[in-house]
């Protein structure tokens, strides 16, 4: 008997073997609520938002570690007011035992709030290694960035990859989320053609309301044409209800060729829905269908 369109397959299961999640500093209660459905050792990224302070970010990283997961605190280069602020953050992470893994990103401000104009500037300080960082995540944009040219994005990616190699830091690339597999895999092939061999974590939206998904998509320049929406599983003319990434994951799994695409994993953007996302993943991994809404 042939499996249905949402039945799990070996490629999908492989992609979900080592997934990662994203949370904000204020999501600690939500993580505590969801932790029983998340495999121990899961990497959980803690964002670096402008409306959250140092204590909030540190508390979140501690909670991730306390609950049995791997904290990956974000460092937002353009949000750092000074060299001392970067060093203070890294020293606090090191003191808590949460500094081994970080994700370094340029950040949202149009103008830097301090001396670091981009993620590369942070990587070049040498401070990460001094405070015990061993693994660094960097960003990737399969559909581009609304404020950065394509040429600059490619230059930044290859330069960061080179610095990680020179500094002997392990790393991976975490992509912005999208709704269409085709541009993602085309971009991955272009990454490999440029000699970047880091594992790539493909950004996937967790299950969320369609209006919410479209709002984030507009903010980050993610394509949402009618054809893309249909492919993903929702309609632009009917924004009621929720959408999950099952079609996206199946399309990714079936088009994924390790010989061309290298090491791919999945990173879930939870949009505050840690429990909904973790339950969706758990149900999908065991039964091949998402948890009921």
């Amino acid at each position: 008997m042939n499996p249905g369109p949402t039945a799990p397959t070996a490629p999908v299961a492989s992609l979900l073997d080592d997934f990662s999640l994203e949370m904000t500093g204020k999501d600690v209660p939500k993580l505590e609520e969801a932790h029983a459905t998340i495999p121990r050792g899961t990497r959980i990224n803690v964002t670096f938002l402008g409306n959250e302070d140092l204590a909030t970010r540190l508390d979140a990283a501690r909670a991730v570690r306390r609950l049995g997961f791997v904290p990956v605190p974000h460092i937002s280069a353009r949000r750092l007011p000074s060299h001392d602020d970067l060093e203070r953050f890294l020293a606090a992470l090191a003191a808590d035992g949460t500094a081994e893994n970080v994700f370094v990103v340029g950040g949202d401000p149009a103008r830097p709030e301090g001396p670091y104009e981009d993620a590369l500037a942070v990587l070049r300080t040498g401070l990460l290694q001094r405070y015990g960082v061993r693994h660094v995540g960097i960003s990737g944009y399969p559909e581009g960035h609304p404020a950065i040219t394509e040429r600059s994005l490619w230059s930044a990616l290859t330069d960061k990859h080179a610095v990680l190699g020179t500094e002997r830091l392990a790393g991976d690339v975490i992509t912005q989320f999208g709704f269409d597999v085709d541009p993602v895999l085309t971009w991955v092939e272009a990454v490999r053609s440029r000699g970047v061999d880091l594992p790539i974590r493909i950004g996937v939206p967790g299950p969320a309301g369609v209006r919410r998904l479209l709002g984030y998509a507009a903010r980050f320049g993610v394509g949402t044409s009618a054809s893309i929406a249909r492919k993903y599983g929702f309609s632009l003319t009917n924004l009621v209800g929720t959408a999950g990434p099952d079609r996206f994951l199946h399309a990714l799994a079936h088009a994924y060729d390790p010989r061309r695409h290298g090491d791919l994993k999945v990173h879930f953007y939870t949009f505050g829905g840690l429990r909904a996302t973790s339950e969706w993943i758990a149900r999908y991994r065991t039964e091949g269908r998402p948890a009921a809404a």
Side-chain angles (χ1 to χ4, degrees):
M1 181 176 179
N2 291 329
T6 59
T9 63
V12 175
S14 176
L15 285 172
L16 291 176
D17 274 345
D18 182 24
F19 67 87
S20 53
L21 298 168
E22 190 148 317
M23 64 178 281
T24 72
K26 295 175 182 176
D27 283 340
V28 171
K30 296 178 182 179
L31 180 64
E32 291 174 337
E33 203 177 65
H35 82 276
T37 58
I38 303 171
R40 290 184 64 83
T42 296
R43 299 172 69 84
I44 300 183
N45 286 36
V46 179
T47 57
F48 194 109
L49 299 179
N51 61 356
E52 295 180 348
D53 58 16
L54 177 64
T56 301
R57 298 174 190 127
L58 294 174
D59 285 347
R62 290 188 202 107
V64 172
R65 185 171 182 264
R66 171 173 55 82
L67 291 169
F69 310 120
V70 176
V72 185
H74 285 203
I75 299 172
S76 180
R78 286 194 289 273
R79 290 195 185 281
L80 292 166
S82 69
H83 178 90
D84 287 346
D85 282 282
L86 172 59
E87 194 155 13
R88 190 177 301 114
F89 185 36
L90 290 170
L93 291 174
D96 287 341
T98 57
E100 187 171 342
N101 300 268
V102 299
F103 177 78
V104 185
V105 65
D108 291 336
R111 292 186 178 181
E113 298 173 9
Y116 306 112
E117 64 177 357
D118 54 25
L120 189 61
V122 171
L123 295 180
R124 285 174 168 161
T125 63
L127 287 175
L128 302 184
Q129 305 91 306
R130 190 182 307 172
Y131 285 98
V133 174
R134 297 290 178 265
H135 186 283
V136 179
I138 58 176
S139 55
Y141 300 92
E143 296 185 55
H145 189 290
I148 306 174
T149 67
E150 183 176 359
R151 181 176 180 180
S152 295
L153 287 174
W154 282 121
S155 176
L157 181 62
T158 55
D159 287 349
K160 285 183 282 190
H161 174 244
V163 170
L164 292 180
T166 300
E167 300 296 332
R168 297 183 180 179
L169 288 166
D172 58 17
V173 180
I174 299 179
T175 77
Q176 184 53 269
F177 74 88
F179 300 119
D180 188 357
V181 165
D182 293 341
V184 171
L185 290 180
T186 297
W187 177 86
V188 170
E189 288 193 59
V191 170
R192 300 313 187 198
S193 73
R194 286 167 168 81
V196 177
D197 57 359
L198 298 172
I200 297 176
R201 291 185 175 270
I202 303 299
V204 177
V210 173
R211 288 184 186 275
R212 188 174 180 83
L213 290 175
L214 291 175
Y216 279 102
R219 176 181 173 187
F220 295 114
V222 174
T224 55
S225 70
S227 62
I228 290 172
R230 284 196 302 272
K231 187 184 295 187
Y232 192 78
F234 60 83
S235 168
L236 297 182
T237 60
N238 182 5
L239 305 183
V240 178
T242 62
D246 48 312
R247 292 189 186 186
F248 181 95
L249 287 174
H250 269 270
L252 178 63
H254 288 293
Y256 171 37
D257 180 353
R259 294 168 297 181
R260 290 186 292 135
H261 304 126
D263 186 2
L264 296 189
K265 304 178 187 297
V266 175
H267 178 75
F268 286 93
Y269 291 89
T270 64
F271 306 128
L274 274 165
R275 182 172 180 177
T277 300
S278 62
E279 289 180 348
W280 189 98
I281 296 168
R283 178 73 64 87
Y284 194 80
R285 293 179 76 188
T286 57
E287 299 181 19
R289 59 186 177 87

